[in-house]
């Protein structure tokens, strides 16, 4: 009886330890954020930067529900340090999407936001401790 209980406890402990290993966060962290106002433009912003750095890596801004008549749009990326950067996004299927990989790192810790021209809706990510 003691052996059977000990085996169950060890099996359970092993399963818990294995679950903890598989649930550990990846060393490469990305950040993303989307708007949640369902009646307006659905905007998402994603970065591929590494954890613990303010360099965002590739920045992708996506307009999820653009009018069918729109094939491209201007996106404004803002950060208090870098100011405002303008890029052009193009239609890819049902979305309008634009990506940019900055050379060097003009960004400082804080919010990085994306806004499509003609809208006040913006999606933001935090560049601190990603």
């Amino acid at each position: 009886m003691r052996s059977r209980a000990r085996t169950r406890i060890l099996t359970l402990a092993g399963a818990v330890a294995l679950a903890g290993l598989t649930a550990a966060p990846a060393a490469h962290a990305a950040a993303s954020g989307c708007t949640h106002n369902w009646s307006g433009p659905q905007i998402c912003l994603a970065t591929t930067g590494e954890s613990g750095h303010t360099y965002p890596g590739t920045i992708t801004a996506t307009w999820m529900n653009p009018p069918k008549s729109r094939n491209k749009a201007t996106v404004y990326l803002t950060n208090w340090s870098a100011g405002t950067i303008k890029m052009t996004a193009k239609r890819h299927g049902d979305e309008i999407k634009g990506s940019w990989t900055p050379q060097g790192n003009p960004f400082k810790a804080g919010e990085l936001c994306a806004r499509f021209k003609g809208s006040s809706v913006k999606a933001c990510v935090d560049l601190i401790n990603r």
Side-chain angles (χ1 to χ4, degrees):
M1 194 80 160
R2 285 184 180 167
S3 177
R4 185 178 288 166
R6 191 175 334 177
T7 302
R8 285 183 184 166
I9 290 170
L10 289 175
T11 302
L12 179 60
V16 169
L18 183 60
L21 288 175
T22 58
H28 185 267
S32 64
C34 294
T35 59
H36 298 289
N37 177 1
W38 299 112
S39 63
Q42 295 302 300
I43 307 301
C44 290
L45 176 63
T47 64
T48 61
E50 293 183 33
S51 182
H53 296 280
T54 59
Y55 178 68
T58 299
I59 303 166
T60 303
T62 308
W63 184 356
M64 307 296 279
N65 62 344
K68 292 185 189 307
S69 61
R70 296 286 302 263
N71 289 321
K72 63 181 182 175
T74 300
V75 182
Y76 299 102
L77 301 172
T78 56
N79 173 264
W80 72 270
S81 173
T84 301
I85 296 145
K86 184 169 82 168
M87 71 177 177
T88 300
K90 297 180 181 176
R91 183 171 286 276
H92 297 274
D94 291 338
E95 305 170 340
I96 294 180
K97 184 183 293 190
S99 292
W100 176 59
T101 304
Q103 300 302 311
N105 187 11
F107 301 98
K108 300 282 190 236
E111 276 192 332
L112 171 65
C113 297
R115 180 182 64 79
F116 281 77
K117 184 176 182 176
S119 173
S120 61
V121 176
K122 63 182 179 178
C124 299
V125 296
D126 194 357
L127 296 180
I128 300 172
N129 297 326
R130 290 182 298 112

